[in-house]
Amino acid sequence: MSNLADRFAELPDLLAGHLLLSVSALVIGIAVSVPLGIAATRRPRLRGAALAVAGLIQTVPSMALLALMVPLLGGMIGFFPAFIALTLYSMLPVLGGTVTGILEIDPAMTEAARGVGMTDRQSLLLVELPLAAPVIIAGIRTATVWVVGMATLSTPVGAPSLGNYIFLGLQTRNWLAVVFGCFFAAALAVVLDRMILLIERAARRRSSRLTWTAAVGLIAIIAGGLLPAAVRWAPDAGAGTVPELRADHESAPSERPLTGRELVIGSKGFTEQYILAELLGLELEAAGAVVGKRPNMGSTILFDALRSNAVQVSVDYSGTIWAAIMNRPRPIGRAEMLVEVTRWLAKEHGVVAVGPLGFENAYALAMRRDDAAELGIGSIADLSAMAARLTIAGDPEFFGRLEWTRVRELYGLDRARTLGMDSTFMYGAVRDGAVDVITAYSTDGRIDAYDLEVLRDPEQAFPPYDALLLLSAEAARDPELRAALQPLVNAISNRLMRSANRDVDVDGISVEVAAKGLRGRIASSRR
C-alpha cells in the first residue's frame, strides 16, 4: 500500500507538468496552424510547402524529435525542448483540418457571401470559418490525443510528466507505476478529447450555449489539474518555488550548511542511477539543501544538462565519458583514465569530478552459466566461432557507442545479430533463452540472481567504468556543497552497489528504501 500511496503523492506534480506541457504545446500549435492553414487556402504554393513540412515532421519518431531538440537548443533540457517538439508534432492535424475544412466548403456559399457584398475578411470570419469549424476542431481533437500521449516521452529530456511513472516502473520492474502512468495519461487524453468533442458538436449545431458549457468544462479540468501543484509550488507554500523539490529536517540548523540551497540531481534511466540519485538527495537534504530530481536522461543529454548547469549534481562513469563524451576510441588504464577524464572535464567544461564513489559498473558480455559450460565459453573471444548464430541483446545506446565497435572488431562479432532492448527485459530474455548473450552491467544484482556467467575480456576491449561524482561548474564553486558530498567518495564497494541494485531489481524493494539501506550500510562501514 505504501507503493500506491507514494504514486498518489507524486501525482499532483506529474499531472500538472504533463498538463501544462501538453496544453501549452496545443495552444501554440493551434495559434500557428490555423492562421497558416487559412493563408494556405489562399496560396496553393504555400499550401503544398506547409503540408509537406508538417508531414515531414510527423515522419520523425517522437522520441527522436524530443531528443533532437536538446542539441538544437544548445543543450537546454526540461520544459522548453519538450514544448517545442510537442508544438511541432501538433501542427499537422490542425493545419490539415483547417485547409480541408475551408476548401471543402460549397463554392456556392462563398459566392453568395461575395454576392451580398462581403469582403474577403468578412467572408472568412462569418461564412468560411463557421462552416469549417467542425473539421478544424476534429483536427484539434486528433492533435490533443497525439500530444498528450507523446508528452509521456518527455521525461528523458528532463521535463516532468506522467511518463516519469512509466520510465521508473520499467527500469525498476514496478508494474504498478507503469500502469499508474499509462492509466492517468490515457484518462487525461480521453477527458480532453471528450470536452473538445462537445465543442465540435456545438459547432455543428451552431449552439453557443453548448459551446460555452464545453469551454467552461475544459477550462475547469485544466485548472483543476494545475491548481494542486500550483499551490504546492507557490512561494508561501514553504517549499520554495522550484517544483519537485523537498527538504529534510533531520539535522540541527547549525549542522545544515546548505540550508535553503536549491539543487537539482540528474540521473540516467536505470536502477543504479535512481538509487544513487536518491542517495545523493538524502545526503544533500541532511545538509539542508532543497533537492529536485531530473531522472531518465541519456548519457549525452545528462552531460549537456550538467555542463549548462540545468542540473548541478550527477554520477557518471569514466568509460562512458571517455568513449561517448570525449570520443576516445581506445581505452587506457584505470588510474590514467581517471586523471585524464578529471582534467578534461575541468579544462573543457568546468565540470568538477569530486572523486570516484568506489565501485565500477562496467559493461560486460554475459550469458547463461549452463550454456557457457556446455559450449565451453569462458571469454568473449570464444564467441567468435559461433558469431553468425548469436543474438546479442543490449541497451540501444550501447550499440551506437565506440565500445561496441571495438568489441565487435577485436573479437570478430560482425556477423552477430544485435537486438536493442530495455534492460528491464534484457536479463529475463537471456535467462529464458530468447537471446544468447547480453551486454550486462557488472554491478547488476540480476547477474547472480539469474545465474549468469560474465565473460572475460582478454583484449580489454571495454574501458574502466569507475563511478564518478560530478558537479557543474557553478555548483563546484560552493565549498560547502563539495564538503557535504565528500563522505561518499570511495565509500561504495562493488558488493554494496550490487546488493542495493538487487534489492530493487530482484526483491522488489522501492528505490527510496534501497537508497536508505545503502546509506545506512555506508555509515556502518565508516564506524
Side-chain angles (χ1 to χ4, degrees), residues 221-243:
I221 289 169
I222 294 171
L226 295 175
L227 185 60
V231 171
R232 186 179 304 186
W233 298 345
D236 60 351
T241 59
V242 181

Side-chain angles (χ1 to χ4, degrees), residues 121-302:
R121 179 184 178 85
Q122 289 172 326
S123 175
L124 174 67
L125 295 177
L126 299 177
V127 177
E128 295 174 66
L129 284 180
L131 290 174
V135 181
I136 296 172
I137 296 171
I140 292 173
R141 286 180 60 199
T142 300
T144 299
V145 174
W146 284 5
V147 167
V148 171
M150 183 178 169
T152 59
L153 302 176
S154 64
T155 299
V157 298
S161 72
L162 294 169
N164 283 37
Y165 288 126
I166 298 170
F167 282 91
L168 173 66
L170 285 174
Q171 289 297 330
T172 62
R173 304 178 69 83
N174 184 338
W175 306 120
L176 175 63
V178 175
V179 171
F180 213 81
C182 292
F183 172 80
F184 280 101
L188 179 60
V190 169
V191 169
L192 293 179
D193 176 70
R194 293 297 94 182
M195 298 309 297
I196 298 173
L197 175 61
L198 283 181
I199 298 176
E200 181 184 340
R201 288 176 177 170
R204 292 185 186 279
R205 298 175 188 175
R206 311 290 176 82
S207 171
S208 58
R209 183 176 181 180
L210 185 57
T211 300
W212 280 108
T213 300
V216 169
L218 185 61
I219 293 170
I221 289 169
I222 294 171
L226 295 175
L227 185 60
V231 171
R232 186 179 304 186
W233 298 345
D236 60 351
T241 59
V242 181
E244 287 195 83
L245 300 186
R246 65 183 192 266
D248 188 338
H249 300 284
E250 67 182 23
S251 304
S254 61
E255 300 170 349
R256 296 165 61 83
L258 299 178
T259 297
R261 175 76 183 273
E262 292 178 349
L263 296 167
V264 178
I265 301 170
S267 62
K268 303 183 190 184
F270 55 93
T271 300
E272 181 169 290
Q273 286 276 308
Y274 296 138
I275 295 172
L276 291 173
E278 191 68 25
L279 174 65
L280 292 171
L282 292 172
E283 291 292 322
L284 293 173
E285 287 167 352
V290 184
V291 176
K293 305 280 176 52
R294 288 281 177 85
N296 295 301
M297 290 188 276
S299 295
T300 55
I301 291 177
L302 176 58

Side-chain angles (χ1 to χ4, degrees), residues 12-84:
D13 285 346
L14 296 182
L15 177 60
H18 198 108
L19 194 56
L20 181 62
L21 182 59
S22 301
V23 171
S24 300
L26 283 167
V27 167
I28 300 303
I30 294 167
V32 172
S33 299
V34 172
L36 181 60
I38 293 170
T41 62
R42 269 63 176 168
R43 299 177 178 85
R45 287 186 179 180
L46 175 62
R47 179 177 22 192
L51 289 172
V53 171
L56 181 63
I57 291 171
Q58 288 292 328
T59 65
V60 179
S62 51
M63 180 67 88
L65 184 62
L66 282 159
L68 282 171
M69 288 301 111
V70 175
L72 289 177
L73 295 173
M76 183 183 295
I77 67 163
F79 176 88
F80 199 62
F83 163 74
I84 295 294

Side-chain angles (χ1 to χ4, degrees), residues 366-523:
M367 61 189 301
R368 283 172 39 155
R369 194 179 303 277
D370 56 350
D371 287 346
E374 181 180 344
L375 297 171
I377 296 174
S379 76
I380 304 174
D382 298 330
L383 296 174
S384 60
M386 58 187 72
R389 305 193 305 272
L390 286 178
T391 298
I392 303 176
D395 64 82
E397 178 182 319
F398 174 77
F399 293 117
R401 291 169 58 145
L402 292 172
E403 296 100 309
W404 169 241
T405 301
R406 183 171 166 80
V407 168
R408 189 183 62 210
E409 292 175 351
L410 285 175
Y411 293 111
L413 300 181
D414 298 85
R415 293 180 297 165
R417 175 174 175 247
T418 59
L419 187 63
M421 185 181 294
D422 191 279
S423 63
T424 304
F425 309 109
M426 183 173 66
Y427 289 86
V430 73
R431 176 197 60 192
D432 299 336
V435 299
D436 304 303
V437 180
I438 62 170
T439 58
Y441 312 124
S442 61
T443 55
D444 200 301
R446 287 169 289 188
I447 290 175
D448 294 334
Y450 293 175
D451 196 28
L452 303 182
E453 177 78 18
V454 176
L455 304 181
R456 297 190 308 277
D457 178 17
E459 299 292 336
Q460 296 183 334
F462 289 109
Y465 285 90
D466 290 289
L468 293 175
L469 179 55
L470 304 178
L471 298 179
S472 69
E474 184 175 322
R477 298 190 190 105
D478 187 346
E480 293 177 332
L481 172 58
R482 298 179 68 164
L485 294 174
Q486 192 64 38
L488 293 178
V489 173
N490 290 316
I492 308 174
S493 66
N494 278 32
R495 179 183 58 81
L496 286 179
M497 195 69 250
R498 188 180 293 117
S499 176
N501 287 334
R502 177 166 180 156
D503 285 344
V504 175
D505 289 329
V506 179
D507 299 331
I509 294 173
S510 72
V511 168
E512 295 77 12
V513 172
K516 289 177 181 177
L518 177 59
R519 188 176 184 227
R521 289 190 286 271
I522 292 171

